[in-house]
Amino acid sequence: MFVLHQTVALTHDIPDAGLQLGDLGAVVAIHDPASYEVEFVAASGRTQSLLTLSSSSLRAIGDQDLIAVRSLATANR
């Protein structure tokens, strides 16, 4: 279970939203213990996607994770 404002990582690609496995998002609403509204933002702070996702689509992040940057231009091709 995740909590409000927790940073989470995707467990799989979501091509229609331009998102890839490991992309980071923030939990902005909890619909029930298995369904979360997650916001994914560009480095500028602009919202890239706001999606309702199941808990199986997300994982907690921690000290073992490294943050990286990739271009959205290549993700949307």
Side-chain angles (χ1 to χ4, degrees), residues 32-58:
D32 58 57
S35 181
Y36 302 88
E37 196 80 13
V38 181
E39 182 179 25
F40 297 88
V41 298
S44 66
R46 179 187 52 81
T47 299
Q48 167 67 16
S49 297
L50 183 64
L51 302 171
T52 300
L53 299 169
S54 67
S55 57
S56 64
S57 294
L58 306 168

Side-chain angles (χ1 to χ4, degrees), residues 8-76:
V8 294
L10 276 178
T11 60
H12 59 87
D13 293 348
I14 305 177
D16 291 344
L19 299 172
Q20 296 178 358
L21 173 122
D23 282 351
L24 298 179
V27 175
V28 295
I30 301 171
H31 299 298
D32 58 57
S35 181
Y36 302 88
E37 196 80 13
V38 181
E39 182 179 25
F40 297 88
V41 298
S44 66
R46 179 187 52 81
T47 299
Q48 167 67 16
S49 297
L50 183 64
L51 302 171
T52 300
L53 299 169
S54 67
S55 57
S56 64
S57 294
L58 306 168
R59 69 170 180 82
I61 62 165
D63 290 338
Q64 76 282 359
D65 293 305
L66 180 66
I67 296 174
V69 175
R70 65 179 176 82
S71 173
L72 288 172
T74 58
N76 294 325

